[in-house]
């Protein structure tokens, strides 16, 4: 008994631990996927916002610049190569439209004039302005004097093109801080050709490059990346390679993930403790032969699942026990086989579901008519086994009552009423006679049943076991007499 209890406890605890471990793994996987999805959405939204901000500011500058280059005085100054006038006008207009850089370049790419800058114009001499003007419909990024600008170009016509106007605004640290507040992500601009590096992070370019290399290597399960790094493709001037990275700090997500993990771990330990207590109680219950599980198994083994009455084996066993006690009684023992007439026709006409309903209600009517200690079991198919202790003068009335209970009222099935009758073959066993074998009793009752069916059905025929070996013709003669 103790061995069974121990095994049940170990089994229950093992299942709980396995379930808890699976929950832990699935929980971690789902949380990781959820966080990853949230971070990816945040990065996508930040990238969209950043592009929208830059494109919006560029659009405003394009519109304001078109107004400026269409000014007659400005076009005349450009056509006459009046550099002081051009420089003055560019400086005034740049301050008014908040452009950080305004240039005028000749058609052959020579720099003519620019607004007042805090660095020499020679720093822009190496830029191939003609190549940049070839892609003028969309702004590009360019590094000038270790500064990052967003540039675009517009032609200056007077009335034919006489020069090219270059307009730009600077991407600087204050602007990045403002964008970080709005997107919630750190921003990094760097050049792959020079030492240019602009970021909201408090790190140097070399440290960021090491972080970039580490991020590109797949993490092992026990490792955690500090940032989720996303590269945004940029168009840059000439051979300058300007890269933009958006970084999401993962520490906040790790804190939430760890708190949930610790909570789940505590819950798991609590469940394990509860499972030990419950499995102990369950083991005691399972070890008890009078438990509900044991009773349910006994019931399933002895009863027919469709009609909820005794099955064939259990009914015969009950009858055998009753026959062993019948010798001490002054009553006869009646063992009957009762069969539903034309049951195949009922199945064919109304369907098997209706046939099952007829079997259930047929058994229910018989059970309600019989006494609690009488035997009723399903012999097989549409045949039922009935056994009663009766006085000799009660036998005919009792079985006729059973027959009439079935025949008098149709059996409802859905919205239909199905007329049902039954035929019975009854083997009578007298207390003063020796009890014959059960197969002989059943064969005798079955023979009488077939005789009842052959004589028109819906009737009861009584017979008894002959003294000599059973011969069907002898039983028929006794039945007819």
């Amino acid at each position: 008994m103790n061995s069974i209890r121990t095994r049940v406890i170990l089994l229950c605890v093992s299942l709980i631990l396995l379930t808890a471990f699976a929950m832990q793994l699935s929980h971690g996987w789902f949380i990781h996927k959820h966080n990853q999805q949230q971070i990816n959405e945040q990065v996508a939204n930040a990238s969209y916002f950043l592009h929208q901000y830059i494109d919006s500011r560029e659009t405003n500058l394009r519109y304001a610049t078109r107004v400026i280059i269409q000014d007659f005085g400005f076009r005349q100054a450009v056509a006459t190569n009046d550099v002081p006038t051009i420089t003055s006008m560019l400086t005034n207009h740049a301050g008014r439209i908040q452009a950080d850089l305004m240039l005028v370049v000749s058609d052959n790419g020579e720099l003519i004039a620019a607004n007042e800058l805090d660095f020499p114009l020679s720093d822009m001499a190496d830029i191939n302005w003609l190549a940049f003007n070839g892609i003028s419909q969309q702004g590009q990024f360019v590094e000038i004097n270790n500064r990052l600008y967003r540039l675009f170009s517009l032609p200056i016509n007077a009335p034919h093109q006489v020069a090219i106007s270059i307009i730009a605004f600077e991407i600087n640290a204050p602007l990045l801080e403002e964008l970080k507040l709005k997107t919630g992500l750190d921003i990094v601009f760097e050049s792959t050709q020079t030492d240019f590096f602009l970021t909201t992070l408090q790190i140097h370019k070399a440290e960021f490059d090491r972080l970039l290399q580490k991020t590109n290597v797949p993490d092992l399960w026990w490792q955690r990346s500090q940032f989720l790094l996303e590269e945004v493709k940029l168009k840059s001037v000439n051979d300058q390679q300007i890269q933009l990275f958006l970084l999401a700090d993962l520490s906040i997500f790790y804190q939430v993930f760890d708190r949930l993990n610790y909570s789940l771990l505590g819950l798991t330990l609590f469940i394990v403790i509860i499972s030990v207590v419950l499995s102990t109680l369950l083991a005691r219950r399972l070890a008890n032969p009078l438990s509900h599980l044991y009773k349910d198994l006994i019931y399933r083994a002895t009863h027919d699942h469709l009609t909820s009455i005794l099955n064939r084996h259990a009914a015969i066993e009950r009858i055998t026990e009753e026959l062993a006690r019948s010798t001490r009684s002054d009553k006869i023992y009646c063992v009957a086989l009762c069969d539903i007439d034309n049951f195949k026709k009922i199945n064919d006409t109304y369907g098997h579901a209706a046939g099952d309903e007829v079997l259930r209600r047929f058994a229910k009517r018989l059970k309600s008519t019989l006494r609690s200690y009488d035997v009723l079991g399903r012999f097989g198919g549409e045949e039922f086994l009935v056994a009663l202790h009766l006085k000799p003068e009660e036998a005919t009335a009792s079985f006729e009552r059973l027959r009439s209970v079935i025949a008098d009222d149709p059996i409802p099935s859905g919205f239909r009423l199905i007329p049902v009758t039954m035929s019975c073959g009854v083997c009578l066993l007298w207390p003063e006679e020796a009890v014959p074998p059960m197969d002989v009793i059943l064969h005798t009752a079955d023979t009488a049943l077939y005789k009842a069916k052959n004589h028109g059905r819906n009737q009861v025929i009584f017979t008894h076991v002959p003294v000599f070996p059973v011969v069907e013709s002898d039983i028929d003669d006794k039945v007819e007499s």
Side-chain angles (χ1 to χ4, degrees):
M1 188 70 69
N2 291 332
S3 176
I4 295 177
R5 292 180 181 177
T6 303
R7 291 180 182 180
V8 171
I9 293 173
L10 290 177
L11 176 62
C12 294
V13 173
S14 300
L15 291 176
I16 292 296
L17 289 176
L18 182 61
T19 303
F21 181 71
M23 289 174 57
Q24 190 85 10
L25 288 180
S26 61
H27 169 265
W29 186 82
F30 280 115
I31 291 298
H32 174 75
K33 288 297 182 181
H34 176 71
N35 290 343
Q36 190 76 23
Q37 182 180 0
Q38 284 190 325
I39 295 173
N40 290 337
E41 290 178 358
Q42 185 179 3
V43 170
N45 292 335
S47 176
Y48 176 79
F49 176 81
L50 187 61
H51 280 91
Q52 288 295 105
Y53 177 85
I54 293 174
D55 293 343
S56 175
R57 188 167 179 182
E58 180 182 321
T59 301
N60 293 336
L61 284 179
R62 281 181 183 271
Y63 177 78
T65 303
R66 285 194 180 96
V67 175
I68 295 169
I69 63 179
Q70 290 174 2
D71 181 79
F72 177 77
F74 180 79
R75 288 188 295 175
Q76 186 177 13
V78 173
T80 59
N81 201 24
D82 186 355
V83 176
T85 301
I86 297 173
T87 302
S88 176
M89 295 183 71
L90 290 178
T91 301
N92 292 335
H93 287 306
R96 183 165 55 84
I97 67 176
Q98 297 181 345
D100 296 305
L101 186 66
M102 293 192 72
L103 309 175
V104 175
V105 180
S106 64
D107 288 340
N108 58 9
E110 180 183 354
L111 183 61
I112 298 175
N115 63 316
E116 293 184 359
L117 301 171
D118 56 359
F119 59 89
L121 293 180
S122 59
D123 292 339
M124 297 184 288
D126 295 334
I127 299 178
N128 187 349
W129 298 110
L130 290 180
F132 174 70
N133 185 56
I135 314 176
S136 61
Q137 296 301 317
Q138 184 176 1
Q140 300 185 46
F141 291 90
V142 62
E143 177 197 351
I144 303 174
N145 195 26
N146 203 33
R147 297 180 180 182
L148 183 63
Y149 292 92
R150 173 77 170 189
L151 294 90
F152 62 91
S153 66
L154 291 172
I156 302 176
N157 301 318
H160 301 292
Q161 180 173 323
V162 295
I164 302 169
S165 174
I166 305 294
I167 305 93
F169 60 91
E170 184 180 359
I171 308 296
N172 52 27
L175 176 59
L176 291 191
E177 290 295 336
E178 180 183 352
L179 293 174
K180 178 182 178 180
L181 290 175
K182 294 181 178 180
T183 61
L185 301 180
D186 285 294
I187 304 172
V188 175
F189 283 94
E190 74 163 353
S191 172
T192 60
Q193 306 296 326
T194 65
D195 293 333
F196 172 76
F197 185 69
L198 180 64
T199 180
T200 57
L201 294 170
Q202 301 300 320
I203 59 175
H204 300 288
K205 188 176 189 299
E207 186 179 352
F208 176 76
D209 289 338
R210 288 194 297 270
L211 175 64
L212 185 62
Q213 293 176 357
K214 182 179 178 181
T215 304
N216 292 332
V217 177
D219 291 337
L220 299 177
W221 67 270
W222 63 84
Q223 295 177 325
R224 287 180 172 180
S225 299
Q226 183 180 359
F227 298 98
L228 175 67
L229 191 146
E230 183 76 16
E231 181 179 1
V232 181
K233 300 297 182 181
L234 297 178
K235 290 185 177 180
S236 54
V237 172
N238 300 334
D239 58 350
Q240 292 186 1
Q241 296 296 323
I242 306 297
Q243 295 177 304
L244 168 61
F245 296 95
L246 299 177
L247 289 87
D249 188 357
L250 300 178
S251 59
I252 299 177
F253 293 96
Y254 290 147
Q255 292 174 5
V256 175
F257 179 73
D258 290 340
R259 284 199 300 267
L260 290 174
N261 269 341
Y262 293 146
S263 299
L264 184 60
L265 182 60
L267 179 61
T268 301
L269 293 177
F270 176 76
I271 292 175
V272 170
I273 295 173
I274 294 299
S275 67
V276 172
V277 176
L278 294 180
S279 60
T280 302
L281 297 176
L282 178 63
R284 292 177 180 177
R285 189 173 185 85
L286 290 176
N288 187 356
L290 298 179
S291 65
H292 293 297
L293 178 60
Y294 179 80
K295 292 180 180 179
D296 182 63
L297 292 175
I298 295 298
Y299 181 86
R300 291 175 182 271
T302 57
H303 286 72
D304 177 61
H305 73 280
L306 178 64
T307 59
S308 299
I309 61 175
L310 295 176
N311 58 26
R312 176 174 180 167
H313 176 77
I316 291 176
E317 187 174 341
R318 279 278 307 277
I319 293 173
T320 303
E321 295 173 356
E322 293 292 332
L323 285 173
R325 293 192 294 266
S326 64
T327 55
R328 298 188 297 268
S329 172
D330 58 348
K331 298 180 180 179
I332 62 173
Y333 197 63
C334 306
V335 179
L337 280 176
C338 301
D339 184 87
I340 300 176
D341 295 329
N342 299 313
F343 185 72
K344 183 178 182 304
K345 183 177 180 181
I346 293 176
N347 272 335
D348 295 340
T349 304
Y350 301 101
H352 289 281
D356 290 344
E357 183 65 19
V358 167
L359 289 173
R360 282 191 290 267
R361 291 184 176 270
F362 180 89
K364 186 176 180 180
R365 287 189 183 181
L366 291 181
K367 187 175 181 179
S368 63
T369 307
L370 296 172
R371 298 164 297 189
S372 60
Y373 52 85
D374 293 331
V375 179
L376 172 64
R378 187 177 178 187
F379 193 72
E382 69 274 19
E383 290 187 345
F384 293 80
L385 189 58
V386 179
L388 301 86
H389 270 297
L390 297 170
K391 294 181 179 180
E393 63 272 14
E394 296 175 341
T396 301
S398 297
F399 279 95
E400 280 297 324
R401 184 169 62 251
L402 289 178
R403 185 196 61 78
S404 62
V405 163
I406 299 301
D408 289 350
D409 294 320
I411 292 179
S413 175
F415 298 101
R416 300 179 295 264
L417 293 177
I418 303 176
V420 177
T421 60
M422 76 169 183
S423 301
C424 289
V426 184
C427 178
L428 303 177
L429 301 171
W430 301 88
E432 63 272 9
E433 295 179 351
V435 178
M438 180 56 64
D439 56 344
V440 174
I441 297 174
L442 295 177
H443 178 79
T444 304
D446 188 55
T447 304
L449 170 63
Y450 275 95
K451 187 66 176 179
K453 285 186 171 294
N454 291 335
H455 285 187
R457 296 184 175 85
N458 192 24
Q459 57 184 283
V460 180
I461 291 184
F462 296 85
T463 186
H464 63 87
V465 179
V467 176
F468 300 100
V470 178
V471 179
E472 188 171 339
S473 59
D474 293 341
I475 294 178
D476 290 344
D477 293 340
K478 294 182 178 292
V479 170
E480 292 173 357
S481 61

